[in-house]
Amino acid sequence: MLKPFAALLLAVAAPAAIAQTAPAAAPAAQGPFVLDALPYAANALAPVIDQETMELHWGKHHRAYVDNLNKAVTADPALKGVSLEQLLARVSTLPKAVRDNGGGHWNHRFFWALMAPEGKRGAPSAPLLAAIERDFGGLDKFKAAFQQAGATQFGSGWAWLVVTPEGKLAVTSTPNQDNPLMDLAPVKGTPILGNDVWEHAYYLTYRNRRGDYLSKWWDVVNWGHVNELFAEASARR
Ligand SMILES: [Fe+2]
């Protein structure tokens, strides 16, 4: 039997203990970069990408990249007002924290928009299909090349489809949070599709089966957005 005072302490302490374990948004970090809301509900891509993975991936991993990027750029007055794309274009001259977290922020912001709920995904446009046919020999061959790039990226990284400076489509991969916009990337270009092959992107559902994740991922691709990115990249040349 608890004494009244001890019972009162428990009654007061219990809600606080529950609150500490409940998921909650972290306070916004100070700095120029912000974590935008996901463009759909966290369960909108299930079962291809489960809700918990989306909540952790966006709410914890992406948030950490934004927070740490803000810390890195506010520590250096010379980086004040520099856009994310400008940072990436000369990232080889900047601290590694800018490379890792600037890449992490750009890549994830790009990634969320490349996926969409059922009914809003569309299909590759005729101009994109023609370019895929020209440069890969067909959609299935392109998908196989993209999946191969993701499957063979050692450790953490990304698979990409880019429009190269010569106007060709190319598949490439990058380690960690690097991307083809970085001055140090071996294959440079404008990304129009990218898939995150870090274990945090798929492990809760797919465990160690990265290949299964890569092949299922096509089911949630927002082709309408990919078509727009392709048209923009082609028009800029
Ligand atoms: Fe990620």
Side-chain angles (χ1 to χ4, degrees):
M1 183 76 181
L2 288 169
K3 293 181 180 177
F5 181 66
L8 179 63
L9 275 182
L10 277 180
V12 170
I18 291 168
Q20 285 168 3
T21 58
Q30 297 294 312
F33 299 104
V34 297
L35 178 69
D36 292 327
L38 282 174
Y40 35 72
N43 64 357
L45 307 179
V48 176
I49 302 180
D50 64 274
Q51 179 174 345
E52 186 179 11
T53 293
M54 290 299 294
E55 289 171 347
L56 292 169
H57 199 174
W58 170 80
K60 301 294 184 187
H61 294 276
H62 190 176
R63 186 183 301 279
Y65 296 126
V66 173
D67 289 349
N68 289 325
L69 176 61
N70 280 329
K71 284 180 196 161
V73 298
T74 52
D76 184 348
L79 300 181
K80 185 173 183 175
V82 181
S83 74
L84 185 52
E85 287 72 17
Q86 289 171 325
L87 291 172
L88 300 184
R90 57 185 177 94
V91 79
S92 66
T93 67
L94 301 174
K96 189 160 184 303
V98 176
R99 175 178 176 178
D100 290 342
N101 296 292
H105 180 34
W106 194 96
N107 294 349
H108 286 85
R109 194 176 59 180
F110 181 71
F111 182 59
W112 308 134
L114 288 172
M115 301 179 288
E118 191 169 9
K120 296 186 176 178
R121 294 166 182 157
S125 66
L128 178 57
L129 281 175
I132 287 173
E133 181 71 33
R134 178 194 69 202
D135 295 329
F136 298 102
L139 186 61
D140 289 345
K141 289 181 180 173
F142 154 66
K143 287 183 174 179
F146 187 90
Q147 288 177 219
Q148 177 76 0
T152 55
Q153 170 58 48
F154 182 76
S156 300
W158 291 76
W160 303 99
L161 173 64
V162 300
V163 177
T164 69
E166 296 76 33
K168 298 281 190 186
L169 291 178
V171 164
T172 185
S173 64
T174 55
N176 303 315
Q177 294 296 353
D178 288 358
N179 69 40
L181 296 174
M182 292 182 173
D183 58 347
L184 43 71
V187 176
K188 296 181 185 62
T190 303
I192 63 170
L193 188 69
N195 195 357
D196 188 341
V197 297
W198 284 59
E199 286 186 346
H200 67 221
Y202 62 84
Y203 209 85
L204 294 183
T205 293
Y206 299 90
R207 302 299 173 183
N208 60 320
R209 301 184 300 277
R210 184 189 287 187
D212 290 354
Y213 161 68
L214 284 161
S215 60
K216 289 297 290 180
W217 183 71
W218 298 113
D219 291 348
V220 294
V221 168
N222 181 354
W223 284 107
H225 186 52
V226 180
N227 295 338
E228 291 170 358
L229 293 172
F230 175 65
E232 287 168 14
S234 301
R236 276 204 298 272
R237 295 194 63 257

